[in-house]
PDB file of all heavy atoms in Angstrom:
ATOM      1  N   ASP W 479     -21.670  11.622 -28.026  1.00 94.00           N
ATOM      2  CA  ASP W 479     -22.526  10.601 -28.631  1.00 94.00           C
ATOM      3  C   ASP W 479     -21.732   9.477 -29.265  1.00 94.00           C
ATOM      4  O   ASP W 479     -20.677   9.713 -29.860  1.00 94.00           O
ATOM      5  CB  ASP W 479     -23.406  11.237 -29.731  1.00 94.00           C
ATOM      6  CG  ASP W 479     -24.646  11.876 -29.149  1.00 94.00           C
ATOM      7  OD1 ASP W 479     -25.320  11.209 -28.343  1.00 94.00           O
ATOM      8  OD2 ASP W 479     -24.910  13.046 -29.489  1.00 94.00           O
ATOM      9  N   TYR W 480     -22.268   8.268 -29.163  1.00 96.00           N
ATOM     10  CA  TYR W 480     -21.708   7.114 -29.866  1.00 96.00           C
ATOM     11  C   TYR W 480     -22.710   6.688 -30.933  1.00 96.00           C
ATOM     12  O   TYR W 480     -23.893   6.524 -30.641  1.00 96.00           O
ATOM     13  CB  TYR W 480     -21.439   5.960 -28.898  1.00 96.00           C
ATOM     14  CG  TYR W 480     -20.313   6.268 -27.920  1.00 96.00           C
ATOM     15  CD1 TYR W 480     -20.561   6.952 -26.736  1.00 96.00           C
ATOM     16  CD2 TYR W 480     -19.008   5.896 -28.200  1.00 96.00           C
ATOM     17  CE1 TYR W 480     -19.531   7.251 -25.856  1.00 96.00           C
ATOM     18  CE2 TYR W 480     -17.971   6.191 -27.331  1.00 96.00           C
ATOM     19  CZ  TYR W 480     -18.240   6.870 -26.154  1.00 96.00           C
ATOM     20  OH  TYR W 480     -17.214   7.169 -25.292  1.00 96.00           O
ATOM     21  N   THR W 481     -22.246   6.529 -32.179  1.00 95.00           N
ATOM     22  CA  THR W 481     -23.134   6.175 -33.280  1.00 95.00           C
ATOM     23  C   THR W 481     -22.584   4.959 -34.030  1.00 95.00           C
ATOM     24  O   THR W 481     -21.386   4.917 -34.343  1.00 95.00           O
ATOM     25  CB  THR W 481     -23.230   7.355 -34.287  1.00 95.00           C
ATOM     26  OG1 THR W 481     -23.527   8.554 -33.562  1.00 95.00           O
ATOM     27  CG2 THR W 481     -24.336   7.103 -35.316  1.00 95.00           C
ATOM     28  N   ILE W 482     -23.467   3.991 -34.312  1.00 94.00           N
ATOM     29  CA  ILE W 482     -23.047   2.841 -35.121  1.00 94.00           C
ATOM     30  C   ILE W 482     -22.949   3.300 -36.566  1.00 94.00           C
ATOM     31  O   ILE W 482     -23.918   3.764 -37.152  1.00 94.00           O
ATOM     32  CB  ILE W 482     -24.063   1.687 -35.010  1.00 94.00           C
ATOM     33  CG1 ILE W 482     -24.254   1.309 -33.539  1.00 94.00           C
ATOM     34  CG2 ILE W 482     -23.596   0.470 -35.810  1.00 94.00           C
ATOM     35  CD1 ILE W 482     -25.387   0.332 -33.307  1.00 94.00           C
ATOM     36  N   GLU W 483     -21.740   3.180 -37.121  1.00 94.00           N
ATOM     37  CA  GLU W 483     -21.506   3.670 -38.484  1.00 94.00           C
ATOM     38  C   GLU W 483     -21.584   2.542 -39.503  1.00 94.00           C
ATOM     39  O   GLU W 483     -21.749   2.788 -40.696  1.00 94.00           O
ATOM     40  CB  GLU W 483     -20.118   4.322 -38.581  1.00 94.00           C
ATOM     41  CG  GLU W 483     -19.912   5.503 -37.640  1.00 94.00           C
ATOM     42  CD  GLU W 483     -20.611   6.773 -38.145  1.00 94.00           C
ATOM     43  OE1 GLU W 483     -21.068   6.785 -39.298  1.00 94.00           O
ATOM     44  OE2 GLU W 483     -20.688   7.748 -37.368  1.00 94.00           O
ATOM     45  N   GLY W 484     -21.435   1.325 -39.029  1.00 91.00           N
ATOM     46  CA  GLY W 484     -21.483   0.217 -39.979  1.00 91.00           C
ATOM     47  C   GLY W 484     -21.324  -1.121 -39.300  1.00 91.00           C
ATOM     48  O   GLY W 484     -20.983  -1.206 -38.120  1.00 91.00           O
ATOM     49  N   GLU W 485     -21.583  -2.157 -40.083  1.00 91.00           N
ATOM     50  CA  GLU W 485     -21.515  -3.511 -39.542  1.00 91.00           C
ATOM     51  C   GLU W 485     -21.062  -4.403 -40.683  1.00 91.00           C
ATOM     52  O   GLU W 485     -21.695  -4.430 -41.743  1.00 91.00           O
ATOM     53  CB  GLU W 485     -22.920  -3.899 -39.065  1.00 91.00           C
ATOM     54  CG  GLU W 485     -22.996  -5.181 -38.304  1.00 91.00           C
ATOM     55  CD  GLU W 485     -24.448  -5.548 -37.977  1.00 91.00           C
ATOM     56  OE1 GLU W 485     -25.302  -4.641 -37.874  1.00 91.00           O
ATOM     57  OE2 GLU W 485     -24.725  -6.750 -37.841  1.00 91.00           O
ATOM     58  N   GLU W 486     -19.948  -5.105 -40.465  1.00 86.00           N
ATOM     59  CA  GLU W 486     -19.418  -5.940 -41.539  1.00 86.00           C
ATOM     60  C   GLU W 486     -19.225  -7.357 -41.040  1.00 86.00           C
ATOM     61  O   GLU W 486     -19.336  -7.625 -39.853  1.00 86.00           O
ATOM     62  CB  GLU W 486     -18.058  -5.395 -42.010  1.00 86.00           C
ATOM     63  CG  GLU W 486     -18.160  -4.072 -42.745  1.00 86.00           C
ATOM     64  CD  GLU W 486     -16.807  -3.391 -42.853  1.00 86.00           C
ATOM     65  OE1 GLU W 486     -15.786  -4.112 -42.910  1.00 86.00           O
ATOM     66  OE2 GLU W 486     -16.778  -2.146 -42.857  1.00 86.00           O
ATOM     67  N   VAL W 494     -18.111  -7.437 -37.295  1.00 93.00           N
ATOM     68  CA  VAL W 494     -17.308  -6.295 -36.855  1.00 93.00           C
ATOM     69  C   VAL W 494     -18.177  -5.048 -36.905  1.00 93.00           C
ATOM     70  O   VAL W 494     -18.794  -4.757 -37.937  1.00 93.00           O
ATOM     71  CB  VAL W 494     -16.083  -6.064 -37.766  1.00 93.00           C
ATOM     72  CG1 VAL W 494     -15.271  -4.875 -37.241  1.00 93.00           C
ATOM     73  CG2 VAL W 494     -15.222  -7.304 -37.843  1.00 93.00           C
ATOM     74  N   PHE W 495     -18.246  -4.339 -35.785  1.00 94.00           N
ATOM     75  CA  PHE W 495     -18.995  -3.090 -35.734  1.00 94.00           C
ATOM     76  C   PHE W 495     -18.038  -1.911 -35.819  1.00 94.00           C
ATOM     77  O   PHE W 495     -16.930  -1.961 -35.283  1.00 94.00           O
ATOM     78  CB  PHE W 495     -19.795  -2.988 -34.434  1.00 94.00           C
ATOM     79  CG  PHE W 495     -20.896  -4.013 -34.332  1.00 94.00           C
ATOM     80  CD1 PHE W 495     -20.672  -5.243 -33.712  1.00 94.00           C
ATOM     81  CD2 PHE W 495     -22.149  -3.754 -34.867  1.00 94.00           C
ATOM     82  CE1 PHE W 495     -21.679  -6.192 -33.632  1.00 94.00           C
ATOM     83  CE2 PHE W 495     -23.166  -4.698 -34.796  1.00 94.00           C
ATOM     84  CZ  PHE W 495     -22.934  -5.923 -34.175  1.00 94.00           C
ATOM     85  N   LYS W 496     -18.506  -0.881 -36.513  1.00 95.00           N
ATOM     86  CA  LYS W 496     -17.755   0.376 -36.562  1.00 95.00           C
ATOM     87  C   LYS W 496     -18.601   1.429 -35.854  1.00 95.00           C
ATOM     88  O   LYS W 496     -19.783   1.615 -36.200  1.00 95.00           O
ATOM     89  CB  LYS W 496     -17.501   0.791 -38.008  1.00 95.00           C
ATOM     90  CG  LYS W 496     -16.771   2.125 -38.149  1.00 95.00           C
ATOM     91  CD  LYS W 496     -16.559   2.504 -39.614  1.00 95.00           C
ATOM     92  CE  LYS W 496     -15.814   3.814 -39.744  1.00 95.00           C
ATOM     93  NZ  LYS W 496     -15.631   4.205 -41.166  1.00 95.00           N
ATOM     94  N   VAL W 497     -18.007   2.093 -34.868  1.00 96.00           N
ATOM     95  CA  VAL W 497     -18.732   3.083 -34.078  1.00 96.00           C
ATOM     96  C   VAL W 497     -17.941   4.383 -34.086  1.00 96.00           C
ATOM     97  O   VAL W 497     -16.711   4.362 -34.059  1.00 96.00           O
ATOM     98  CB  VAL W 497     -18.945   2.577 -32.630  1.00 96.00           C
ATOM     99  CG1 VAL W 497     -19.319   3.711 -31.696  1.00 96.00           C
ATOM    100  CG2 VAL W 497     -20.006   1.481 -32.583  1.00 96.00           C
ATOM    101  N   SER W 498     -18.653   5.512 -34.139  1.00 96.00           N
ATOM    102  CA  SER W 498     -17.973   6.798 -33.994  1.00 96.00           C
ATOM    103  C   SER W 498     -18.339   7.410 -32.649  1.00 96.00           C
ATOM    104  O   SER W 498     -19.423   7.162 -32.125  1.00 96.00           O
ATOM    105  CB  SER W 498     -18.392   7.763 -35.111  1.00 96.00           C
ATOM    106  OG  SER W 498     -19.758   8.109 -34.939  1.00 96.00           O
ATOM    107  N   VAL W 499     -17.396   8.175 -32.098  1.00 96.00           N
ATOM    108  CA  VAL W 499     -17.724   8.975 -30.919  1.00 96.00           C
ATOM    109  C   VAL W 499     -17.607  10.433 -31.321  1.00 96.00           C
ATOM    110  O   VAL W 499     -16.636  10.838 -31.976  1.00 96.00           O
ATOM    111  CB  VAL W 499     -16.801   8.648 -29.718  1.00 96.00           C
ATOM    112  CG1 VAL W 499     -15.329   8.807 -30.065  1.00 96.00           C
ATOM    113  CG2 VAL W 499     -17.164   9.526 -28.519  1.00 96.00           C
ATOM    114  N   SER W 500     -18.632  11.212 -30.982  1.00 94.00           N
ATOM    115  CA  SER W 500     -18.627  12.608 -31.386  1.00 94.00           C
ATOM    116  C   SER W 500     -18.940  13.517 -30.207  1.00 94.00           C
ATOM    117  O   SER W 500     -19.593  13.120 -29.242  1.00 94.00           O
ATOM    118  CB  SER W 500     -19.641  12.840 -32.504  1.00 94.00           C
ATOM    119  OG  SER W 500     -20.926  12.451 -32.067  1.00 94.00           O
ATOM    120  N   ILE W 505     -17.189  14.578 -35.087  1.00 94.00           N
ATOM    121  CA  ILE W 505     -16.649  13.241 -34.810  1.00 94.00           C
ATOM    122  C   ILE W 505     -15.208  13.319 -34.313  1.00 94.00           C
ATOM    123  O   ILE W 505     -14.349  13.972 -34.932  1.00 94.00           O
ATOM    124  CB  ILE W 505     -16.736  12.339 -36.069  1.00 94.00           C
ATOM    125  CG1 ILE W 505     -18.210  11.976 -36.320  1.00 94.00           C
ATOM    126  CG2 ILE W 505     -15.892  11.078 -35.891  1.00 94.00           C
ATOM    127  CD1 ILE W 505     -18.449  11.117 -37.538  1.00 94.00           C
ATOM    128  N   LEU W 506     -14.952  12.687 -33.158  1.00 94.00           N
ATOM    129  CA  LEU W 506     -13.615  12.683 -32.558  1.00 94.00           C
ATOM    130  C   LEU W 506     -12.784  11.508 -33.046  1.00 94.00           C
ATOM    131  O   LEU W 506     -11.585  11.631 -33.295  1.00 94.00           O
ATOM    132  CB  LEU W 506     -13.718  12.591 -31.026  1.00 94.00           C
ATOM    133  CG  LEU W 506     -14.327  13.766 -30.281  1.00 94.00           C
ATOM    134  CD1 LEU W 506     -14.449  13.430 -28.791  1.00 94.00           C
ATOM    135  CD2 LEU W 506     -13.487  15.029 -30.473  1.00 94.00           C
ATOM    136  N   ALA W 507     -13.423  10.329 -33.127  1.00 96.00           N
ATOM    137  CA  ALA W 507     -12.664   9.115 -33.464  1.00 96.00           C
ATOM    138  C   ALA W 507     -13.620   7.987 -33.837  1.00 96.00           C
ATOM    139  O   ALA W 507     -14.824   8.044 -33.541  1.00 96.00           O
ATOM    140  CB  ALA W 507     -11.780   8.694 -32.294  1.00 96.00           C
ATOM    141  N   TYR W 508     -13.040   6.945 -34.482  1.00 96.00           N
ATOM    142  CA  TYR W 508     -13.805   5.733 -34.785  1.00 96.00           C
ATOM    143  C   TYR W 508     -13.216   4.566 -33.997  1.00 96.00           C
ATOM    144  O   TYR W 508     -12.037   4.569 -33.629  1.00 96.00           O
ATOM    145  CB  TYR W 508     -13.729   5.405 -36.279  1.00 96.00           C
ATOM    146  CG  TYR W 508     -14.398   6.447 -37.160  1.00 96.00           C
ATOM    147  CD1 TYR W 508     -13.636   7.443 -37.771  1.00 96.00           C
ATOM    148  CD2 TYR W 508     -15.780   6.423 -37.368  1.00 96.00           C
ATOM    149  CE1 TYR W 508     -14.241   8.396 -38.579  1.00 96.00           C
ATOM    150  CE2 TYR W 508     -16.392   7.378 -38.173  1.00 96.00           C
ATOM    151  CZ  TYR W 508     -15.619   8.365 -38.776  1.00 96.00           C
ATOM    152  OH  TYR W 508     -16.219   9.314 -39.561  1.00 96.00           O
ATOM    153  N   GLY W 509     -14.069   3.563 -33.771  1.00 94.00           N
ATOM    154  CA  GLY W 509     -13.587   2.347 -33.112  1.00 94.00           C
ATOM    155  C   GLY W 509     -14.243   1.127 -33.717  1.00 94.00           C
ATOM    156  O   GLY W 509     -15.367   1.202 -34.234  1.00 94.00           O
ATOM    157  N   TYR W 510     -13.533  -0.001 -33.666  1.00 93.00           N
ATOM    158  CA  TYR W 510     -14.040  -1.261 -34.216  1.00 93.00           C
ATOM    159  C   TYR W 510     -14.062  -2.318 -33.120  1.00 93.00           C
ATOM    160  O   TYR W 510     -13.205  -2.337 -32.235  1.00 93.00           O
ATOM    161  CB  TYR W 510     -13.151  -1.733 -35.369  1.00 93.00           C
ATOM    162  CG  TYR W 510     -13.083  -0.738 -36.500  1.00 93.00           C
ATOM    163  CD1 TYR W 510     -12.172   0.329 -36.456  1.00 93.00           C
ATOM    164  CD2 TYR W 510     -13.950  -0.839 -37.588  1.00 93.00           C
ATOM    165  CE1 TYR W 510     -12.120   1.266 -37.485  1.00 93.00           C
ATOM    166  CE2 TYR W 510     -13.896   0.093 -38.620  1.00 93.00           C
ATOM    167  CZ  TYR W 510     -12.988   1.137 -38.557  1.00 93.00           C
ATOM    168  OH  TYR W 510     -12.941   2.056 -39.575  1.00 93.00           O
ATOM    169  N   ILE W 514     -20.997  -4.065 -30.180  1.00 93.00           N
ATOM    170  CA  ILE W 514     -21.144  -2.603 -30.179  1.00 93.00           C
ATOM    171  C   ILE W 514     -20.397  -2.016 -28.988  1.00 93.00           C
ATOM    172  O   ILE W 514     -19.720  -0.993 -29.086  1.00 93.00           O
ATOM    173  CB  ILE W 514     -22.645  -2.232 -30.155  1.00 93.00           C
ATOM    174  CG1 ILE W 514     -23.300  -2.687 -31.468  1.00 93.00           C
ATOM    175  CG2 ILE W 514     -22.836  -0.723 -29.972  1.00 93.00           C
ATOM    176  CD1 ILE W 514     -24.814  -2.579 -31.480  1.00 93.00           C
ATOM    177  N   ALA W 517     -16.748  -1.851 -29.658  1.00 94.00           N
ATOM    178  CA  ALA W 517     -16.461  -0.811 -30.659  1.00 94.00           C
ATOM    179  C   ALA W 517     -16.531   0.577 -30.026  1.00 94.00           C
ATOM    180  O   ALA W 517     -15.704   1.448 -30.318  1.00 94.00           O
ATOM    181  CB  ALA W 517     -17.440  -0.928 -31.823  1.00 94.00           C
ATOM    182  N   ALA W 521     -13.488   3.250 -29.674  1.00 95.00           N
ATOM    183  CA  ALA W 521     -13.616   4.632 -30.158  1.00 95.00           C
ATOM    184  C   ALA W 521     -13.207   5.622 -29.062  1.00 95.00           C
ATOM    185  O   ALA W 521     -12.486   6.584 -29.318  1.00 95.00           O
ATOM    186  CB  ALA W 521     -15.048   4.892 -30.610  1.00 95.00           C
TER     187      ALA W 521
END
Side-chain angles (χ1 to χ4, degrees):
Chain W
D479 276 311
Y480 292 86
T481 310
I482 304 171
E483 301 283 349
E485 188 185 333
E486 291 164 30
V494 181
F495 294 92
K496 178 181 181 181
V497 163
S498 68
V499 55
S500 58
I505 289 179
L506 293 175
Y508 295 97
Y510 300 84
I514 294 171

